[in-house]
Amino acid sequence: MTRIAIIGGGISGLSAAFAIEEWRRRGSEVEYTLYESSSRFGGVLRTEHIHGCVVEAGPDSFLTEKPWAADLARALGLGDQLIGSNDANRKTYILTHGRLVEMPDGLMFMVPTKILPTGMSPLFSWKTKLRITQEMFHPPRAADHDESVAAFIERHYGAEMVDRLADPLLSGVYGGEAANLSVRAVLPRFVEMERMHGSLGRGMLAARKKMRSWKNSAPPIFTSLKNGMQTLADAIVAQLTPTSLRINTTAAAIEPQAASWLVSAGMQSDVFDAVILALPAGAASSLLRMAGPELSAELAAIGYTSSITVALGFDKDVRQTLPPGFGFLVPRSEGKRILAATFVHNKFPHRAPEDRALLRCFFAGKNAEDVWPLADDQIVAIVRHELKEILGLRADPLFTRVYRWKSAMAQYNVGHLDRLDRIERLRQKLPRLALAGNAYRGIGVPDCVRSGTDAVKQLLG
Ligand SMILES: Cc1cc2nc3c(=O)[nH]c(=O)nc-3n(C[C@H](O)[C@H](O)[C@H](O)COP(=O)(O)OP(=O)(O)OC[C@H]3O[C@@H](n4cnc5c(N)ncnc54)[C@H](O)[C@@H]3O)c2cc1C
């Protein structure tokens, strides 16, 4: 019987545990213990139901084009719970000189593909519009080194594109700044487009043409679960072996022995054949300080930022007055604290009753650190003040919730992929150790699911 310790009960660790259950169902002689330091499984996947609204404290959805989370949901019997974003209503605004400006038609992520709507849009100055036109003629280029997303996008479109689009879009995903994030780790497709086509605009058009010839109708951009993202974590837990689960149990130390690992957690030590660390890199680094000091140092160098989400529920009068669309992004240059707001009732079905509006505002990185010491009601006051300035929203909310996530978003800074190569070499020097989680090859929920499943494959396959 192979015994595996899984440390960390977020979606990465839960996916690993579920993968082991599947190996067991197929006849493998393997068992596991899943250690989670907090009082619940799911990590940042947390959903509350308030006044008939489905309120997401952490992730609200995942990218449909990454299949692993939806595949897991189907394997758990949740196929009929999967919902797509209301893409027919998709409109996103960018706060530009204090006004909400709709992203122009043809903008794919941050790449303009239609000259006319971009040319007419007040989002960019004439200088940037000229750069966008010229970019279509960039010759292919193979960069031999990593660089920041900001430097890469600036080479193509100039600094205004970084401020107006690249930085706010990536802040929403990574909670980090385009000036630090690695283009190779965060936007590998853009690097490939530059190598193949030179122009990102032409690269996007070529990719879209290919997609069209494969598919008749585009799938929704985002997928979620009808009753919230926590459903995914709860459904996994329901299919795990109850005696394998340890909540309120922090793994304090792990020690390699001749052909095994000694795991000390919650006043007890146990011997395992293999260990999966499904933890934020800093926590994995602490546990490996003695067993692999070099590996530990590399893991510690992966930075994390904190984020805060604030949910506000309103009545139907507010719903009628809010702009259509999914919400807005706030460039740093606008001098606000919030980085984004989602009109949740528009983005997904089943999130709010017809007579409710549900807004979710987002602080990340330095903005989150700045407001972190404040009490929840002071943070809500900042949000309401900024929503009044941006949307003219004066109504009192029916409810508010503040959710704080300390050091939860991994930062793939310049050089991240080289660091991952070093981590992989160092990991192989330790016996039967696997790493999973959002620190490595994808921060989103689908990538974390894949990382948990792959960790099990690595140990048992
Ligand atoms: C606010 C927010 C919004 C997000 N939005 C999206 C989104 O819309 N779409 C998307 O795809 N992704 C989103 N993400 C990213 C994604 O949700 C996370 O990257 C992913 O869920 C991380 O899962 P994880 O299991 O790797 O880590 P975590 O969820 O952080 O879980 C790690 C677990 O390990 C436990 N732990 C730590 N130390 C120990 C120890 N020593 N012993 C035992 N247990 C320990 C912790 O308590 C925790 O439960 C968002 C993240 C945040 C914070």
Side-chain angles (χ1 to χ4, degrees):
M1 178 70 74
T2 304
R3 298 192 70 222
I4 301 181
I6 305 169
I7 304 179
I11 191 64
S12 304
L14 288 173
S15 302
F18 183 67
I20 295 178
E21 291 284 358
E22 292 205 306
W23 281 78
R24 282 153 63 93
R25 272 194 283 276
R26 290 196 297 264
S28 288
E29 299 255 305
V30 53
E31 59 182 34
Y32 64 94
T33 301
L34 173 58
Y35 296 100
E36 165 53 44
S37 57
S38 75
S39 58
R40 56 179 282 281
F41 288 110
V44 303
L45 267 65
R46 185 172 158 207
T47 309
E48 286 196 278
H49 297 265
I50 308 167
H51 281 255
C53 297
V54 177
V55 177
E56 296 290 12
D60 70 348
S61 59
F62 46 85
L63 281 175
T64 306
E65 68 170 13
K66 297 196 169 198
W68 308 287
D71 287 350
L72 174 64
R74 286 186 205 100
L76 290 162
L78 296 175
D80 61 348
Q81 299 281 306
L82 291 169
I83 54 171
S85 45
N86 290 323
D87 289 355
N89 305 335
R90 192 159 72 96
K91 254 186 201 166
T92 304
Y93 305 88
I94 307 284
L95 190 68
T96 309
H97 308 304
R99 278 183 43 227
L100 290 182
V101 171
E102 193 183 330
M103 279 198 197
D105 187 28
L107 206 60
M108 294 177 75
F109 197 41
M110 63 191 82
V111 174
T113 58
K114 291 187 183 168
I115 299 292
L116 195 63
T118 311
M120 306 288 283
S121 169
L123 188 57
F124 304 116
S125 64
W126 283 109
K127 200 171 148 202
T128 301
K129 288 173 185 170
L130 188 64
R131 291 283 302 258
I132 291 170
T133 314
Q134 289 167 338
E135 202 273 345
M136 286 287 186
F137 302 98
H138 276 206
R141 177 183 200 266
D144 56 359
H145 63 280
D146 196 7
E147 64 187 314
S148 72
V149 171
F152 180 92
I153 296 296
E154 197 170 335
R155 275 201 290 107
H156 284 261
Y157 299 111
E160 193 179 56
M161 183 67 95
V162 176
D163 173 60
R164 298 265 141 234
L165 282 182
D167 194 56
L169 281 168
L170 291 172
S171 295
V173 180
Y174 289 89
E177 297 188 18
N180 300 327
L181 293 169
S182 150
V183 71
R184 286 194 171 178
V186 168
L187 298 173
R189 262 195 251 173
F190 282 19
V191 176
E192 183 56 17
M193 278 177 196
E194 184 180 66
R195 193 182 66 77
M196 293 273 294
H197 303 274
S199 156
L200 302 181
R202 279 191 289 121
M204 275 293 183
L205 288 172
R208 198 168 58 184
K209 212 163 145 194
K210 222 187 223 171
M211 292 269 292
R212 274 212 198 110
S213 61
W214 285 348
K215 293 181 183 144
N216 295 329
S217 65
I221 294 186
F222 302 103
T223 298
S224 191
L225 287 133
K226 196 172 165 186
N227 290 313
M229 293 290 288
Q230 193 181 316
T231 320
L232 190 62
D234 292 348
I236 299 176
V237 174
Q239 296 204 18
L240 301 181
T241 306
T243 51
S244 297
L245 308 181
R246 309 268 187 283
I247 50 165
N248 295 314
T249 310
T250 301
I254 61 169
E255 199 184 309
Q257 301 190 316
S260 58
W261 286 89
L262 184 68
V263 174
S264 305
M267 318 291 284
Q268 212 179 309
S269 293
D270 269 306
V271 176
F272 293 90
D273 300 294
V275 171
I276 297 174
L277 297 182
L279 294 169
S285 161
S286 302
L287 286 179
L288 287 166
R289 207 166 285 146
M290 301 304 282
E294 276 184 90
L295 176 56
S296 167
E298 290 289 0
L299 291 168
I302 298 176
Y304 273 76
T305 59
S306 302
S307 54
I308 299 175
T309 59
V310 180
L312 304 101
F314 293 94
D315 64 17
K316 70 170 185 304
D317 293 343
V318 169
R319 184 161 175 156
Q320 279 156 7
T321 56
L322 286 172
F326 283 9
F328 61 85
L329 301 171
V330 184
R332 272 170 235 279
S333 58
E334 293 291 322
K336 301 273 185 260
R337 304 282 189 99
I338 59 171
L339 289 175
T342 306
F343 307 148
V344 181
H345 53 278
N346 287 342
K347 187 171 172 185
F348 289 105
H350 309 293
R351 283 292 185 261
E354 284 298 310
D355 58 352
R356 295 272 185 272
L358 178 60
L359 267 66
R360 172 173 137 122
C361 297
F362 187 65
F363 297 84
K366 184 175 177 308
N367 293 25
E369 297 299 341
D370 287 348
V371 301
W372 198 274
L374 302 179
D376 285 1
D377 56 351
Q378 291 172 301
I379 293 179
V380 169
I382 291 173
V383 168
R384 290 191 59 195
H385 176 72
E386 297 199 345
L387 290 178
K388 191 166 85 186
E389 286 181 332
I390 297 168
L391 297 169
L393 179 53
R394 288 182 167 76
D396 288 330
L398 299 171
F399 66 84
T400 61
R401 290 290 184 283
V402 176
Y403 304 100
R404 299 165 190 252
W405 301 109
K406 187 77 187 158
S407 303
M409 315 278 263
Q411 299 300 294
Y412 297 177
N413 288 342
V414 175
H416 183 72
L417 296 185
D418 291 339
R419 170 161 289 116
L420 292 191
D421 288 344
R422 294 195 295 277
I423 286 176
E424 182 51 21
R425 278 197 296 277
L426 294 164
R427 182 195 68 79
Q428 285 175 10
K429 290 188 187 165
L430 291 169
R432 305 185 83 186
L433 170 77
L435 300 170
N438 70 9
Y440 310 105
R441 297 189 188 274
I443 193 175
V445 172
D447 289 300
C448 290
V449 168
R450 184 182 54 163
S451 78
T453 313
D454 284 355
V456 174
K457 237 186 261 164
Q458 202 176 78
L459 296 175
L460 297 180

